[in-house]
Amino acid sequence: MVEAPRFELKDMPQDFYRHLLQMEGLIVQHLDLKLYHLIKLRASQINGCAYCLAMHTDEAMKHGETPERIVSLDAWEESPLYSDKERAALAWTEELTLIADSGASRESFEALKPHFTEAEIPWLIFAAVQINSWNRIAISTRSQYERATSASAPAAEKTPEPA
């Protein structure tokens, strides 16, 4: 049985929420939106965040991601559907999400360098940190994603969204 929400995301301190959304806006200015959605989905899979998985599946689809790539994401290492650049970012995302286990290895960090500039790599870090923060907020509050509410909002290019 799914536990009832402990409180609604809209009821969290508005200053904090506003700053998280501002960070989303900064990140999407520096990363490819499709890649950011993959990062969000992969971290959310690892963390088991149902709210974020539902939201970012919807958002990724709105921005042109294919269902095949979304459902194959858990097996990205074995799937031919992802570019080498995406693979490097996904490996890095996994290490940062599981940092207590991996410690953010030199190998994964070095694997980013052929695909991302020195200016882009910090944004990959921020992207992983951001979605891991949202996952922890959504899981701890037992937030439930309401597709009907979200679906009524118009899709905009590079619009920051929570979680």
Side-chain angles (χ1 to χ4, degrees), residues 109-158:
F109 181 74
E110 292 298 322
L112 295 172
K113 292 180 178 181
H115 308 288
F116 298 95
T117 66
E118 285 187 27
E120 291 172 317
I121 292 173
W123 293 103
L124 291 171
I125 295 168
F126 299 149
V129 167
Q130 182 77 350
I131 189 56
N132 275 283
S133 294
W134 282 119
N135 287 167
R136 281 148 180 78
I137 291 167
I139 292 168
S140 66
T141 62
R142 301 296 191 257
S143 294
Q144 298 297 312
Y145 178 66
E146 295 182 29
R147 183 166 277 117
T149 304
S150 176
S152 64
E157 194 66 26
K158 291 204 170 201

Side-chain angles (χ1 to χ4, degrees), residues 14-69:
Q14 291 303 296
D15 284 347
F16 185 80
Y17 191 75
R18 181 175 38 81
H19 287 294
L20 285 175
L21 291 175
Q22 288 172 338
M23 289 178 9
E24 287 286 331
L26 287 172
I27 294 166
V28 298
Q29 291 175 30
H30 294 91
L31 288 181
D32 174 75
L33 192 55
K34 279 183 145 180
L35 179 62
Y36 191 27
H37 286 307
L38 291 177
I39 289 168
K40 289 179 176 188
L41 284 165
R42 185 64 193 124
S44 298
Q45 286 175 334
I46 292 167
N47 290 324
C49 184
Y51 182 100
C52 294
L53 284 168
M55 170 183 266
H56 296 301
T57 296
D58 281 353
E59 291 297 322
M61 298 284 288
K62 286 178 191 173
H63 292 111
E65 191 55 82
T66 66
E68 184 180 26
R69 281 174 37 100

Side-chain angles (χ1 to χ4, degrees), residues 73-88:
L73 188 56
D74 196 34
W76 66 266
E77 291 177 282
E78 298 177 17
S79 174
L81 299 175
Y82 307 96
S83 69
D84 289 342
K85 181 177 184 173
E86 290 168 331
R87 291 173 187 285

Side-chain angles (χ1 to χ4, degrees), residues 4-13 137 140-143:
R6 293 176 176 165
F7 69 89
E8 299 296 324
L9 288 178
K10 67 177 178 50
D11 295 333
M12 73 182 344
I137 291 167
S140 66
T141 62
R142 301 296 191 257
S143 294

